[in-house]
Amino acid sequence: MSRLALISGRLERLRGRLLLFAPVCLGSGIATYFRLPVEPGALAWALIGLGALALMLIGLRYWPTRWTGLASLAFGLALVLGGLLAGGLRTETTRAPVLDFRYYGPVEGRIVTIDRSASEAVRLTLDRLRLDRVRPDELPVRVRVSLHGTQGFLIPEPGQRIAMTAFLSAPEGPVEPGGFDFRRMAWFDRIGAVGYTRAPALMLAPAETGLGGLVISRLRARIAQAVQAIVPGEEGAFAAAILTGDRTGIAPATLAALRGSNLSHLLAISGLHMGLLTGFVFTALRYVMALIPGFAAHYPIRKIAAVGALQAGAFYLALSGGNVATERAFVMVAVMFGAVLLDRRALTLRAVAVAALILLAAQPEALAEPGFQMSFSATTALVAVFGWLRDWDGPRLPRWLRPVSAVVISSAVAGAATAPYAAAHFNQVSHFGLVANLLAVPVMGTLVMPGAVLAAVLTPAGLAGLALNLIRWPIAWILAVAERVSGMEGALGHVPSPAPVVLGLITAGGLFAVLATGRLRALALAPLVLGFAIWSDTTRPDVLVSSGGGLVGSMTPAGRALSKERGEGFAAASWLENDGDAVAQVVAFRRGQDRDGAFRIGAARLVHLTGQGAAARVAAACAEADIVVVTAEVPEPPAGCAVYDKLRLAETGALALHVDGEGLRIVTEAEMSGQRPWTRR
């Protein structure tokens, strides 16, 4: 037998699991697209499309032959190229104008969504805009504005048309090279400008009626307000969050406690909530129909209940605002109940694969989002583990212990599967998260979510308050657990941000462990060990410079020292979080008070100049320094040193300076981000 035939034969053994590999191949192509340094041109896209078509035809030609294994490989490669095409198509279909100058003036628009910024300011996303001095063809589709200063003249509601005087600019890039790129997220949300106002926002027209008036968004807001009116305090804010996805009423301290105890997932309307809600509706409908004499004998009550549960899930999806986690959860339950309607097994890895394919095809950009990664890692791990346990031939626990063991196993498996992604994106690890989940999740499933469904059922009769007051105490228990666990000594650990390759290796290892069969699963240890090894050896930049030049952070034995104690707070907090250093900006500033604007980087010297007359001091600083960072414009920088003034930093973006065996190395944000549609300067 030839080597090619041997390879084909081995690949053919995976024939029954090809659907499971489809989202992996599609996701690999999407990940490759977003890592490209430049956007492919028309010729490149044509070649990619022809390549995908050719591979599909090859696969179809040899599928029912002795080369079926190689045909499967051709299909997989076609899906990889299809991922590239999906990313490019999504980028073009969401293309919208981006504001290319700093705007100050009147802003009119319709409120689309309401949330809060990191500083707890009310934040409005507006569409149907009117901006002075901006041509209609250059007008952004959406802008996002934070409300500061004296407000109180407007109670924001989706659908209202409002006016204000605001500062707007294009979405900003990463605060450090290789960091989170808000511009890309804004591009796919079609947000062409962000800003703030310190003047009062005023209503020009009330919300429209009908579907065109954002009826679902208004319904969300009104339900959230009604719930908090019935159940005041943090319990009511928690109830509003799990019912509508509106977290604006939850205090920062409560959010911090939930994150510190690894219970923040209870706020996200995702698989847990969707599964509990639809499962409760499904079970309740079956019991009600079974109680009707003769009904079960003449009608398929299981399928009728599945349709009813699916409708409840669809309404919950619309009410929640439709984030990625909720969409993934709805697709999962839709596939599950679809299997019930077709008399198939409901919860399998194939259902997870179908959900991933649907979401990746519709929203390729979701692949890079923490919600997508954590949601699918938890779901995949849970389905795989419980599938293995279902097929377990060894001794089993007594029946009365199985519900308890299911909760323990679910919490442990989901926590272990999501921990690397949570740590990588949020730079923290909850050491007692398993304990908190064991104490809180059963209460959420048995009391809170059924009570929420009961509240919805009783709403037409005006009795929702009865159910909401009943779930107040279980919610209080959950919040008490979060506060107690997060307050324990050593409850929260902090880790530095890993290199991009780390999550790729961890994901590859986890997928290989789930999708491979037999002894091949042992090979999954290689990428997992390598990924964690690279992460453990992470070295952060010796010096970071913000994109405006106003903030410099130098690594010291005590941690990163910042050049100022106030201002550019988002960049400062992001740098410290990415270092795995959970201290306030003022603490990091005090680490380097004696430097007086001078930073030693190996054998090189950097001088940071700010304030009035900074440009006039560049020449003197350049005589003593290798690098000068100045917040002013220096049209003719002196020779003898590298000058990063306001103009040059506008081109390079933030800087990261590394000292290694080859000396000083400067990495710019522009180099790392590449030339993509969302990175234009």
Side-chain angles (χ1 to χ4, degrees), residues 340-620:
V340 171
L341 294 173
L342 297 173
D343 296 317
R344 300 289 184 90
R345 181 182 291 175
L347 199 57
T348 66
L349 285 174
R350 286 183 174 83
V352 181
V354 170
L357 281 171
I358 292 172
L359 286 180
L360 288 175
Q363 298 180 4
E365 72 277 9
L367 181 70
E369 296 180 6
F372 180 93
Q373 296 171 7
M374 296 173 67
S375 179
F376 273 98
S377 63
T379 305
T380 303
L382 286 169
V383 173
V385 168
F386 278 100
W388 295 335
L389 292 175
R390 183 186 62 239
D391 299 332
W392 173 254
D393 293 329
R396 294 180 179 271
L397 291 172
R399 186 175 295 274
W400 62 273
L401 266 180
R402 290 177 189 175
V404 178
S405 67
V407 172
V408 174
I409 293 171
S410 298
S411 299
V413 170
T418 57
Y421 301 96
H425 290 291
F426 306 118
N427 303 104
Q428 61 184 33
V429 178
S430 176
H431 295 145
F432 306 125
L434 177 59
V435 175
N437 276 272
L438 290 176
L439 293 172
V441 171
V443 174
M444 187 77 178
T446 59
L447 298 176
V448 177
M449 288 308 295
V453 175
L454 183 61
V457 172
L458 294 177
T459 296
L463 300 175
L466 294 175
L468 290 173
N469 279 302
L470 286 175
I471 66 173
R472 177 177 184 174
W473 306 111
I475 292 176
W477 165 262
I478 293 172
L479 296 179
V481 168
E483 183 178 357
R484 182 65 181 270
V485 171
S486 64
M488 295 171 65
E489 184 177 354
L492 202 60
H494 299 274
V495 296
S497 294
V501 70
V502 168
L503 282 186
L505 288 168
I506 292 173
T507 301
L511 287 172
F512 199 86
V514 171
L515 301 181
T517 57
R519 296 179 180 177
L520 287 176
R521 284 202 180 104
L523 296 178
L525 286 174
L528 287 171
V529 171
L530 181 59
F532 283 111
I534 294 174
W535 196 347
S536 66
D537 197 38
T538 296
T539 56
R540 295 282 295 149
D542 293 282
V543 172
L544 288 166
V545 179
S546 66
S547 58
L551 184 68
V552 175
S554 174
M555 189 63 76
T556 71
R560 193 169 302 279
L562 300 179
S563 60
K564 58 184 182 182
E565 60 181 331
R566 290 189 304 272
E568 301 203 41
F570 180 71
S574 297
W575 290 354
L576 294 169
E577 286 177 5
N578 293 340
D579 291 339
D581 188 7
V583 299
Q585 181 175 351
V586 63
V587 175
F589 166 73
R590 291 170 183 162
R591 293 168 176 167
Q593 280 185 317
D594 58 342
R595 264 201 297 270
D596 194 25
F599 298 84
R600 178 64 60 182
I601 317 165
R605 189 168 184 265
L606 181 149
V607 172
H608 183 215
L609 303 177
T610 61
Q612 292 184 348
R617 290 179 275 143
V618 170

Side-chain angles (χ1 to χ4, degrees), residues 84-137:
L84 286 164
L85 291 168
L89 181 62
R90 177 69 171 168
T91 297
E92 290 304 314
T93 56
T94 54
R95 183 181 291 273
V98 177
L99 199 65
D100 59 1
F101 67 98
R102 293 187 179 275
Y103 174 90
Y104 174 71
V107 177
E108 293 183 17
R110 182 184 68 161
I111 299 176
V112 179
T113 57
I114 305 168
D115 61 354
R116 290 188 180 272
S117 66
S119 61
E120 288 303 302
V122 174
R123 191 167 59 185
L124 308 177
T125 301
L126 309 177
D127 69 356
R128 300 184 183 179
L129 299 167
R130 176 185 171 186
L131 305 178
D132 285 359
R133 307 186 313 279
V134 180
R135 290 166 40 190
D137 61 322

Side-chain angles (χ1 to χ4, degrees), residues 67-417:
W67 304 106
T68 298
L70 293 180
S72 303
L73 181 61
F75 285 138
L77 294 174
L79 276 173
V80 172
L81 296 182
L84 286 164
L85 291 168
L89 181 62
R90 177 69 171 168
T91 297
E92 290 304 314
T93 56
T94 54
R95 183 181 291 273
V98 177
L99 199 65
D100 59 1
F101 67 98
R102 293 187 179 275
Y103 174 90
Y104 174 71
V107 177
E108 293 183 17
R110 182 184 68 161
I111 299 176
V112 179
T113 57
I114 305 168
D115 61 354
R116 290 188 180 272
S117 66
S119 61
E120 288 303 302
V122 174
R123 191 167 59 185
L124 308 177
T125 301
L126 309 177
D127 69 356
R128 300 184 183 179
L129 299 167
R130 176 185 171 186
L131 305 178
D132 285 359
R133 307 186 313 279
V134 180
R135 290 166 40 190
D137 61 322
E138 296 178 350
L139 200 63
V141 173
R142 292 181 175 183
V143 301
R144 198 166 74 181
V145 184
S146 297
L147 305 184
H148 297 283
T150 302
Q151 297 294 330
F153 299 92
L154 169 74
I155 300 176
E157 182 181 355
Q160 290 175 338
R161 186 162 186 84
I162 65 169
M164 65 185 77
T165 301
F167 294 86
L168 296 176
S169 61
E172 294 188 0
V175 297
E176 65 174 273
F180 169 72
D181 195 345
F182 172 69
R183 295 170 304 186
R184 188 172 75 185
M185 186 181 76
W187 176 275
F188 291 105
D189 288 339
R190 309 196 83 188
I191 296 176
V194 295
Y196 65 94
T197 180
R198 297 193 182 280
L202 304 173
M203 184 174 70
L204 296 180
E208 302 172 10
T209 58
L211 294 177
L214 302 174
V215 61
I216 293 295
S217 297
R218 297 205 315 277
L219 180 61
R220 288 179 65 207
R222 289 173 182 174
I223 290 175
Q225 292 168 7
V227 168
Q228 292 179 78
I230 295 171
V231 183
E234 294 302 295
E235 293 84 1
F238 186 98
I242 63 172
L243 284 169
T244 68
D246 182 359
R247 305 186 191 184
T248 56
I250 300 179
T254 301
L255 287 173
L258 289 166
R259 292 191 187 106
S261 58
N262 198 27
L263 291 178
S264 59
H265 67 92
L266 296 182
L267 290 176
I269 298 179
S270 56
L272 176 66
H273 305 71
M274 188 68 74
L276 291 173
L277 180 136
T278 55
F280 178 80
V281 171
F282 176 75
T283 304
L285 287 176
R286 285 189 68 186
Y287 276 121
V288 169
M289 287 185 288
L291 292 175
I292 301 174
F295 193 88
H298 295 88
Y299 298 98
I301 62 171
R302 189 165 178 263
K303 295 183 179 182
I304 295 173
V307 172
L310 195 54
Q311 291 175 338
F315 178 74
Y316 196 32
L317 170 65
L319 189 64
S320 69
N323 60 52
V324 171
T326 316
E327 290 176 350
R328 189 274 311 165
F330 177 72
V331 172
M332 277 292 300
V333 299
V335 172
M336 181 178 70
F337 288 122
V340 171
L341 294 173
L342 297 173
D343 296 317
R344 300 289 184 90
R345 181 182 291 175
L347 199 57
T348 66
L349 285 174
R350 286 183 174 83
V352 181
V354 170
L357 281 171
I358 292 172
L359 286 180
L360 288 175
Q363 298 180 4
E365 72 277 9
L367 181 70
E369 296 180 6
F372 180 93
Q373 296 171 7
M374 296 173 67
S375 179
F376 273 98
S377 63
T379 305
T380 303
L382 286 169
V383 173
V385 168
F386 278 100
W388 295 335
L389 292 175
R390 183 186 62 239
D391 299 332
W392 173 254
D393 293 329
R396 294 180 179 271
L397 291 172
R399 186 175 295 274
W400 62 273
L401 266 180
R402 290 177 189 175
V404 178
S405 67
V407 172
V408 174
I409 293 171
S410 298
S411 299
V413 170

